[in-house]
Amino acid sequence: MYTEKELLEIAKEVISKNNHLNAKLGGSLMLYNMGINKHRDAADIDIICDDLCDDTKSERFPWTPQGFELYDIDGILSCVSAMRFINSNGLRIKFMWGEDIEKIINNIPCAELSQMILYKLMYSKHDITSESRNKHLDDLIFLFVNNFNLKI
């Protein structure tokens, strides 16, 4: 198990090595970097990129640290929307296509908070399992109640 601080250090290296893809931090780890109170600790690394390709010889194929292997892909070739990599410890790095505007927070390129909220809303409605849909919905409820002073 990795701490969020350790995950953030790995994410910084991944973002730096994928600058050519305009890589930005996303997901719960981005919330941690922003100092936002969240429902659960980050357990993986989400990276938002302007371009992805599943051809390992292409410059658009994302770089990962040694020990990570491609786990699965959503889409193919020039229409890749997500690529997941995993290491022997179970750490996942997910690269997702997105046209988010980059914001530098604590010297780390990050995606837009509003865009992340929109993605979580879509996942809470359309993700594969009801467990995953509920996880994203619980994240959003906690985020709004504990950070934006909304009362339920």
Side-chain angles (χ1 to χ4, degrees):
M1 188 75 165
Y2 296 85
T3 67
E4 288 180 308
K5 186 176 180 179
E6 291 169 324
L7 291 175
L8 195 56
E9 289 305 311
I10 296 167
K12 285 195 264 186
E13 181 183 16
V14 170
I15 290 166
S16 172
K17 301 271 185 161
N18 286 291
N19 192 37
H20 62 291
L21 300 175
N22 199 22
K24 302 165 274 300
L25 185 62
S28 295
L29 195 56
M30 179 183 80
L31 296 177
Y32 168 77
N33 182 52
M34 296 172 78
I36 292 179
N37 190 10
K38 55 194 177 12
H39 178 61
R40 57 192 168 82
D41 287 347
D44 60 6
I45 299 170
D46 293 336
I47 304 292
I48 311 299
C49 298
D50 288 355
D51 199 8
L52 289 172
C53 177
D54 68 356
D55 179 356
T56 58
K57 295 177 183 150
S58 170
E59 289 182 5
R60 296 168 31 229
F61 188 84
W63 176 91
T64 57
Q66 187 173 357
F68 281 84
E69 294 188 15
L70 185 59
Y71 178 73
D72 69 357
I73 298 173
D74 293 335
I76 56 169
L77 296 176
S78 63
C79 295
V80 172
S81 59
M83 300 174 76
R84 290 170 203 84
F85 294 80
I86 192 165
N87 72 6
S88 61
N89 295 327
L91 176 58
R92 295 176 315 272
I93 299 176
K94 183 176 182 181
F95 292 88
M96 296 171 280
W97 177 85
E99 295 180 324
D100 294 39
I101 296 170
E102 178 181 298
K103 295 189 182 220
I104 305 296
I105 301 169
N106 296 321
N107 295 317
I108 300 172
C110 293
E112 294 178 85
L113 179 59
S114 60
Q115 199 65 36
M116 190 214 68
I117 290 170
L118 179 60
Y119 290 139
K120 279 200 171 287
L121 279 170
M122 290 188 306
Y123 294 142
S124 71
K125 199 171 179 191
H126 302 291
D127 219 355
I128 296 171
T129 66
S130 62
E131 181 182 342
S132 184
R133 289 189 298 270
N134 287 331
K135 174 187 78 168
H136 290 294
L137 185 57
D138 289 346
D139 288 348
L140 286 169
I141 291 168
F142 187 92
L143 181 69
F144 279 99
V145 169
N146 291 283
N147 293 284
F148 303 121
N149 298 320
L150 296 178
K151 307 286 184 224
I152 348 185

